Amino acid sequence: MPYKADHALSLLTRAQKLGRMAHAYLISGPRDARLEDFASSVLGLVSPARNSCLDDWAQDGAVILRPQSKSRRISVGDDASEVGTIRFLERMIHRTTAPGGHKLGIIVDAERMTIPAQNAFLKTLEEPPPRTLILLISHHPEQLLTTILSRVIQMPLLPPAGVRQFDEHEQKLLAVLQQLSSRTTGGIGAALGLKADFQAVIDDLYDEIKKELEEEFEKEQDHYAKTTDGTWLKQREEEVSAQIEARYLQRRDALMDLVLAWMGDVARQQVGAANLDLPQYRHATARLAEQWQPEETTQRLRAIRQLEQHLHTNVNEGLALEVAFIQAFGK
């Protein structure tokens, strides 16, 4: 369950005072959740140094890795002197200490580690030096190996209240949902039209993710074509395909959450609740709250929740969407 940043920090503060703070945490969330600012605050729990950003912590002994190559990947590295690699982190985390005596290691955009880099990092994660704090920061934690996920404490964060920003695909989906409140006719035809609009949003999303990751792969091919054999190329192709699918599913889940938030706001307005998930769309959800009976809203919500569950199985995506949209909006 995602936490608000202040609540998550209070939990870690309590753990630190009780001597129960773990040695490794995965801080995740959307880009407007300010993950790096939160990580900087966490470092302040174990060190008397006071820095407002991660780059300043580097001046106080923290070892910070960020994707640096043209392909924006974090690699194992040829040797420990190669800055920005896992081998560099392994060496430096044994040699540097922050004020207060802790060794601090931070990997920003941790999902950008290659599979070999993630496997190499496991050694440090499993056998860190004494008094070590490792923070992984990721907007796409589903791309990390399960062996890494099982060895860290996960801290998923929510964006601060009032600052939620919607990306292009979320804005398109919200525009589709707004059509519900201005719809004068219903029936199966209208439901299928709504489904087609939603399908177009997620198709555009998939194409965007595929294009981005394949362009990165092409840059890697140009860089490594003359220095590696075909085995690497095949392994990397499989890795890219898996990343495309994983990132798409994660982003599709976020869009489904947005649909549930919209429908939930309709239900909340019907019972007079003051707090809404999407307050900037209160007028549109209020119109639906007036048009639908509470029992109808409950049935529609149930259909969308069942759709969300079905999408986590091997069900055909298009068929699952069609059935659910007819059940939820074909009245």
Side-chain angles (χ1 to χ4, degrees):
M1 179 184 71
Y3 301 95
K4 291 184 177 180
D6 55 351
H7 179 56
L9 190 61
S10 69
L11 293 175
L12 293 179
T13 301
R14 185 170 182 270
Q16 192 274 334
K17 290 180 178 178
L18 294 173
R20 297 177 181 175
M21 199 164 180
H23 74 277
Y25 291 89
L26 168 59
I27 301 169
S28 63
R31 296 199 174 277
D32 48 3
R34 300 173 182 171
L35 304 185
E36 291 196 30
D37 290 348
F38 180 79
S40 185
S41 298
V42 173
L43 297 181
L45 297 178
V46 299
S47 173
R50 291 294 175 263
N51 296 301
S52 58
C53 69
L54 285 184
D55 290 335
D56 290 341
W57 276 102
Q59 307 302 315
D60 279 316
V63 185
I64 301 175
L65 258 60
R66 296 179 184 273
Q68 294 188 348
S69 66
K70 287 184 178 180
S71 60
R72 294 196 70 248
R73 307 295 293 178
I74 298 174
S75 64
V76 178
D78 295 328
D79 58 63
S81 64
E82 191 176 349
V83 177
T85 64
I86 294 300
R87 287 183 178 171
F88 176 81
L89 171 68
E90 290 173 344
R91 183 184 72 167
M92 296 304 296
I93 206 168
H94 282 85
R95 294 188 177 186
T96 60
T97 303
H102 265 76
K103 297 177 180 298
L104 308 176
I106 303 94
I107 302 182
V108 180
D109 292 337
E111 75 279 358
R112 310 297 293 185
M113 286 189 286
T114 63
I115 297 300
Q118 292 188 51
N119 283 318
F121 176 63
L122 278 172
K123 181 179 179 181
T124 299
L125 201 55
E126 293 171 340
E127 302 175 5
R131 303 192 72 190
T132 295
L133 177 61
I134 297 173
L135 302 180
L136 303 181
I137 300 174
S138 176
H139 298 294
H140 300 285
E142 73 284 349
Q143 295 183 26
L144 293 169
L145 294 175
T146 55
T147 46
I148 287 182
L149 296 176
S150 66
R151 288 166 173 79
V152 297
I153 303 297
Q154 298 193 41
M155 301 294 295
L157 301 183
L158 292 166
V163 301
R164 181 172 182 180
Q165 298 177 352
F166 301 109
D167 64 26
E168 175 188 357
H169 303 288
E170 289 172 329
Q171 290 175 6
K172 289 180 180 178
L173 176 57
L174 288 166
V176 169
L177 293 172
Q178 282 185 292
Q179 296 175 18
L180 281 171
S181 59
S182 58
R183 197 172 66 180
T184 56
T185 60
I188 293 178
L192 290 178
L194 196 63
K195 178 265 179 183
D197 291 338
F198 181 81
Q199 186 76 60
V201 172
I202 60 176
D203 286 348
D204 286 347
L205 171 64
Y206 181 85
D207 290 343
E208 178 184 283
I209 293 170
K210 188 172 186 287
K211 180 181 178 182
E212 177 187 347
L213 292 180
E214 287 184 344
E215 285 179 350
E216 291 179 1
F217 180 45
E218 288 178 4
K219 293 177 184 178
E220 286 184 336
Q221 285 180 291
D222 294 339
H223 181 71
Y224 291 108
K226 298 180 180 180
T227 60
T228 59
D229 58 21
T231 302
W232 173 88
L233 183 61
K234 180 175 176 57
Q235 179 182 349
R236 188 70 185 103
E237 285 178 343
E238 294 173 352
E239 183 182 332
V240 170
S241 295
Q243 288 176 341
I244 291 171
E245 185 67 15
R247 188 174 297 184
Y248 167 69
L249 293 177
Q250 190 264 345
R251 294 283 300 279
R252 187 192 65 185
D253 285 350
L255 291 176
M256 285 302 306
D257 287 342
L258 197 57
V259 176
L260 285 169
W262 179 281
M263 299 294 288
D265 276 1
V266 175
R268 280 183 277 273
Q269 296 227 46
Q270 287 179 330
V271 297
N275 296 322
L276 302 176
D277 284 344
L278 303 169
Q280 58 271 64
Y281 292 92
R282 67 171 62 249
H283 296 300
T285 53
R287 286 195 294 270
L288 290 174
E290 294 176 355
Q291 294 174 22
W292 298 343
Q293 294 297 317
E295 295 79 10
E296 286 183 281
T297 304
T298 300
Q299 292 174 358
R300 297 173 195 271
L301 259 172
R302 185 180 298 117
I304 298 300
R305 290 196 180 105
Q306 288 176 344
L307 170 62
E308 184 183 39
Q309 295 173 3
H310 290 158
L311 289 176
H312 288 96
T313 68
N314 292 326
V315 69
N316 178 277
E317 180 184 80
L319 181 59
L321 288 172
E322 184 173 306
V323 171
F325 272 68
I326 289 175
Q327 291 177 341
F329 306 112
K331 299 178 181 181

